[in-house]
Amino acid sequence: MKKPRLIITNVLVFIITGLIAFVGVPIWAVTQGFDTTEIITTLVLFYATGMSITAGYHRLWSHKTYDAHPAVKVILAIGGAMALQNSILHWSSDHRIHHRHVDEDDKDPYSAGKGLWFSHIGWMLREYQAHRYDDYSNCKDLQKDKVVMWQHNHYLAIVL
Ligand SMILES: [Zn+2]
């Protein structure tokens, strides 16, 4: 079977950020070094973006495990955008499909049955889901959340 076409934007984001992380940062560390502010900022943003995905995208929005004050939602929405994992609405839609069809290779968007590479990186590099890209019918509840829709409609601006 022919593979779907590459999503050039996603491929470039992974290549460029990978080069910066694995080549640029070590070169900078050796030639310039890092000051305390840079190290603390890195640790804070690493934690904030991670928590925005774990506590926000995953537990708060995808699974509705708890509810949160709108101010907390805005902070998690901004942190999630900084993590570059797509909008809350898109991420949650994928994740709800994942849980409904865990490891069914033809339905789970990032089925582990298709291998380690596919389930972690590969699924984002090609148009595997072009047929359902704008279908958020499994997230009608989230479409009523003003923070979710604000972030979805202004995702690129928030990322930048
Ligand atoms: Zn989950």
Side-chain angles (χ1 to χ4, degrees), residues 63-79:
H63 292 298
K64 311 287 275 186
T65 311
Y66 65 99
D67 199 9
H69 188 277
V72 174
K73 288 182 174 182
V74 169
I75 291 167
L76 293 173
I78 292 169

Side-chain angles (χ1 to χ4, degrees), residues 58-59 62-63 91 95 98-99:
H58 192 204
R59 298 291 175 202
S62 293
H63 292 298
W91 197 103
H95 197 69
H98 163 70
H99 274 285

Side-chain angles (χ1 to χ4, degrees), residues 3-107:
K3 287 185 175 181
R5 86 179 173 84
L6 286 169
I7 304 171
I8 297 302
T9 305
N10 291 5
V11 171
L12 287 175
V13 166
F14 277 107
I15 288 172
I16 292 167
T17 57
L19 284 173
I20 291 169
F22 296 112
V23 178
V25 170
I27 290 172
W28 188 272
V30 170
T31 59
Q32 307 293 316
F34 294 106
D35 63 28
T36 306
T37 304
E38 291 164 333
I39 292 168
I40 290 172
T41 302
T42 298
L43 294 174
V44 167
L45 289 177
F46 181 77
Y47 185 78
T49 53
M51 286 305 292
S52 294
I53 297 300
T54 312
Y57 278 40
H58 192 204
R59 298 291 175 202
L60 173 61
W61 284 297
S62 293
H63 292 298
K64 311 287 275 186
T65 311
Y66 65 99
D67 199 9
H69 188 277
V72 174
K73 288 182 174 182
V74 169
I75 291 167
L76 293 173
I78 292 169
M82 290 173 74
L84 293 177
Q85 293 197 17
N86 219 323
S87 72
I88 298 159
L89 186 63
H90 195 91
W91 197 103
S92 298
S93 177
D94 281 347
H95 197 69
R96 287 177 179 182
I97 293 170
H98 163 70
H99 274 285
R100 176 165 286 189
H101 303 285
V102 173
D103 297 343
E104 291 178 41
D105 288 353
D106 57 331
K107 292 180 181 163

